[in-house]
């Protein structure tokens, strides 16, 4: 029933459904953003909707969903989060304690910048807000970083949808999105690793400079 409902939303993409689906995607509901923003941008290339509003509503939806996760981490705490992750409902959402722990480790290893870079990494993207809440990160800082990360990701997906419109038919769209999403995923992972390396080197150099 849930799958049919989600498919109905995907078949009728507008600004409201884009916002709602991206809200779900940024909580724990398994809604791949690739299959929301990219088809919406594909439609925008036809002139039926505006691509900048697609990016805007997708980013606002991601912010709303991420805020839900942030508040859950902030107010519920680790034991309840883990209990939910290990519950039947958590498993229905493709969630488990290990995934939450991996998101926490990523956040702990990379600090606040993880809220930006984590939004670009598959498997961590929708969970990175939980450790931000657990760490009681300043909300407005969290929201700024989340907006930057989600906005960047949505721009990438919108660009893909616009590009695919130049040579892909609507019937081929979903298959092509799946193929190109793999290329984007690995490209993003490499880019994020480079960004993290840059900040680590910067931190080490700063410590050495202060030690002198």
């Amino acid at each position: 029933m849930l799958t049919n409902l989600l498919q109905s939303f995907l078949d009728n993409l507008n600004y409201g459904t884009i916002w709602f689906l991206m809200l779900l995607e940024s909580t724990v509901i398994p809604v791949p953003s690739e299959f929301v923003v990219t088809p919406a941008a594909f439609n925008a290339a036809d002139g039926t909707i505006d691509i900048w509003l697609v990016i805007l509503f997708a980013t606002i939806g991601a912010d709303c969903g991420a805020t839900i996760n942030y508040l859950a981490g902030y107010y519920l705490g680790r034991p309840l989060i883990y209990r939910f992750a290990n519950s039947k409902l958590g498993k229905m959402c493709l969630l488990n304690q290990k995934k939450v722990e991996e998101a926490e480790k990523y956040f702990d290893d990379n600090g606040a910048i993880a809220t930006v870079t984590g939004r670009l990494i598959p498997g961590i993207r929708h969970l990175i807000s939980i450790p931000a809440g657990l760490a009681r990160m300043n909300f407005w800082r969290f929201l700024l970083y989340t907006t930057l990360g989600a906005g960047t990701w949505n721009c990438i997906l919108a660009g893909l949808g616009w590009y695919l419109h130049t040579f892909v038919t609507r019937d081929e769209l979903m298959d092509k999105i799946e193929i190109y999403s793999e290329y984007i995923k690995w490209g993003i992972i490499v880019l994020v690793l480079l960004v993290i390396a840059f900040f680590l080197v910067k931190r080490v150099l700063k410590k050495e400079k202060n030690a002198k």
Side-chain angles (χ1 to χ4, degrees), residues 73-145:
Y74 194 100
Y75 288 108
L76 297 181
R78 190 171 284 104
L80 286 178
I81 293 292
Y82 284 177
R83 189 179 303 172
F84 172 77
N86 292 324
S87 69
K88 289 183 179 179
L89 182 56
K91 288 180 172 56
M92 286 176 62
C93 295
L94 306 181
L95 196 61
N96 56 53
Q97 183 173 326
K98 183 180 178 183
K99 288 183 179 180
V100 178
E101 288 174 342
E102 286 174 352
E104 283 190 83
K105 185 177 185 306
Y106 183 83
F107 183 87
D108 292 340
D109 290 346
N110 299 290
I113 192 64
T115 314
V116 179
T117 58
R119 296 292 313 181
L120 304 173
I121 300 178
I124 291 179
R125 180 166 55 243
H126 64 301
L127 297 177
I128 196 63
S129 305
I130 295 175
L134 290 172
R136 296 181 176 267
M137 179 180 177
N138 176 271
F139 174 74
W140 297 112
R141 189 182 183 196
F142 159 79
L143 188 60
L144 173 63
Y145 286 0

Side-chain angles (χ1 to χ4, degrees), residues 35 173-183:
F35 295 103
L173 180 60
M174 291 304 181
D175 289 336
K176 291 295 183 182
I177 289 173
E178 193 167 351
I179 293 169
Y180 278 81
S181 292
E182 280 297 306
Y183 299 150

Side-chain angles (χ1 to χ4, degrees), residues 147-168:
T147 301
L148 290 174
T152 300
W153 177 242
N154 291 329
C155 284
I156 292 170
L157 294 182
L160 174 62
W162 194 274
Y163 168 69
L164 290 177
H165 186 269
T166 62
F167 67 96
V168 171

Side-chain angles (χ1 to χ4, degrees), residues 6-22:
L6 291 176
Q7 188 60 50
S8 175
F9 280 122
L10 289 171
D11 291 339
N12 298 279
L13 285 173
N14 54 51
Y15 303 128
T17 54
I18 291 167
W19 171 83
F20 179 67
L21 291 172
M22 291 303 291

